[in-house]
Amino acid sequence: MFYEFMKTTLALLVIVLLRLNAQAQGAVNDTAFIAEAVKNTISVYDKFLEGQQLFYTGSLFGEPVRTNETHAYLFTDEWSQEALTFDSELFYPVPLLYDITRDQLVTESVSGNMQAIPGDRVDNFKLRGEYFERISKDDYHGSLPRTGFYQVLYDGKTKVISLRQKLVQERVEQNKIQFDYYEKRRYYVLHGGKFIPVKSRKALISLLADRKAELKAHVKNNRVVFKNLELALPGIAMHYDLLIADQK
C-alpha cells in the first residue's frame, strides 16, 4: 500500500544516511540509536499524514460490481499518485481513482481502505495528466446537466469542457449476468455565460457565428479534423478568443 511503502522507504533512507555518517566519522554503528532515529522519523511522517486526513472524512467506498475486464473507473483501475485541491488546499501525492459511473473520487486511506472523497469539497484534481474541475451548473444558468467534475480541455474565455461518464449494460452469458462498462463523452463550449453542447463542426461554427468566415478559413488552412472533438474544439475556441481579443 502507498503509505506503508512510503514509511518503509523513509525508514530505509534514514538507516542509509546514518550508516554513511557513522562511516565518515569512523564511529561504531549503534543499532539502538538507529532504531530510535527510524522510530522518530516514522512518527514525524505519521503526523504529516494526520494533516491530510481532511479529505478522509467521506464514507468507505463500495466498489462497483464487476464481472469482466471492463470497470467503472476513468483511464485505469490502478492507483495513481495525483494532485488534488481540497478546501482550497493543494495535496500531493494522493492515491486516486475516479469512478465515472457515480462521479466519485476515491482514495486509499492510511489503513489501506478505499475511501470516498467528499466531492463538494474538491475544487479540482489531476488524473493521468488530465485536469478536472468541479463546476456548478447554477453558476451557468443551469446550462450543464449536473454539478460535478468536468475535464477542462481549454480554460480561456470560450472555455471547453467534457463530461465523461460510463454507462453499465447488463447481458446474460452462460446463464450468468455480465456487467459491461462503456464510456460516453459530451462536450460543452462556454458562450454568452452558458455552456452549450457541441457535437460537430457545424454546431461549433454556428455557435460562434460572429466570426464564421474567419473560423472556416482557420479550419481549412489548418486541416482541422473534427472526428476527434477533444483535439479540435480547444484549438478553435482558442482561435476565436484571439479573434475577439484583436477586435477590441
Side-chain angles (χ1 to χ4, degrees):
M1 301 186 197
F2 172 69
Y3 293 109
E4 290 302 319
F5 170 77
M6 288 293 292
K7 288 167 71 173
T8 302
T9 302
L10 194 58
L12 291 173
L13 178 60
V14 171
I15 292 172
V16 171
L17 290 175
L18 287 172
R19 284 182 175 173
L20 288 175
N21 182 62
Q23 291 172 5
Q25 297 181 25
V28 178
N29 182 30
D30 187 338
T31 303
F33 175 73
I34 290 178
E36 185 64 24
V38 171
K39 179 181 177 182
N40 290 339
T41 302
I42 291 177
S43 177
V44 170
Y45 182 70
D46 284 337
K47 288 181 179 179
F48 166 75
L49 289 180
E50 288 175 8
Q52 294 196 345
Q53 298 308 303
L54 288 172
F55 52 83
Y56 294 143
T57 56
S59 59
L60 289 176
F61 177 73
E63 277 204 85
V65 62
R66 180 172 176 178
T67 59
N68 51 47
E69 293 182 357
T70 65
H71 54 79
Y73 306 105
L74 180 62
F75 302 138
T76 178
D77 59 349
E78 298 289 336
W79 294 113
S80 59
Q81 308 307 319
E82 305 290 353
L84 176 148
T85 304
F86 185 90
D87 284 348
S88 302
E89 184 176 355
L90 178 64
F91 292 88
Y92 177 84
V94 179
L96 277 187
L97 289 172
Y98 179 26
D99 175 0
I100 57 173
T101 65
R102 292 180 279 188
D103 195 31
Q104 178 65 65
L105 277 177
V106 187
T107 191
E108 181 185 25
S109 70
V110 178
S111 59
N113 294 318
M114 296 184 76
Q115 197 88 22
I117 301 177
D120 58 348
R121 298 175 66 183
V122 176
D123 303 308
N124 54 66
F125 65 93
K126 274 197 167 185
L127 188 66
R128 301 284 172 166
E130 302 297 333
Y131 176 72
F132 294 80
E133 187 176 284
R134 183 175 176 81
I135 300 176
S136 171
K137 68 176 186 179
D138 294 335
D139 292 341
Y140 298 93
H141 308 286
S143 57
L144 288 171
R146 72 179 190 198
T147 293
F149 296 119
Y150 292 82
Q151 182 179 359
V152 179
L153 302 176
Y154 170 62
D155 201 11
K157 182 179 176 62
T158 309
K159 190 168 186 170
V160 180
I161 61 175
S162 174
L163 174 59
R164 305 187 71 146
Q165 296 174 297
K166 278 189 178 180
L167 305 179
V168 188
Q169 188 174 60
E170 295 183 20
R171 59 184 172 84
V172 178
E173 183 178 287
Q174 297 180 349
N175 296 323
K176 293 183 179 180
I177 298 178
Q178 296 289 321
F179 296 90
D180 296 319
Y181 294 88
Y182 61 96
E183 188 172 349
K184 180 180 180 181
R185 299 190 65 175
R186 285 181 277 178
Y187 299 90
Y188 300 87
V189 176
L190 182 61
H191 189 67
K194 295 182 179 181
F195 277 106
I196 310 300
V198 172
K199 297 181 179 180
S200 65
R201 170 184 176 276
K202 182 178 180 181
L204 180 62
I205 299 298
S206 176
L207 177 63
L208 309 177
D210 57 315
R211 289 293 187 169
K212 183 175 181 179
E214 294 99 319
L215 292 178
K216 280 189 172 181
H218 175 79
V219 169
K220 181 179 179 180
N221 294 337
N222 291 276
R223 299 179 180 179
V224 179
V225 179
F226 276 81
K227 287 184 179 180
N228 188 338
L229 291 179
E230 181 176 350
L231 295 177
L233 294 181
I236 301 300
M238 182 184 297
H239 187 67
Y240 177 80
D241 282 349
L242 291 173
L243 290 172
I244 60 177
D246 288 342
Q247 182 179 354
K248 295 177 181 179

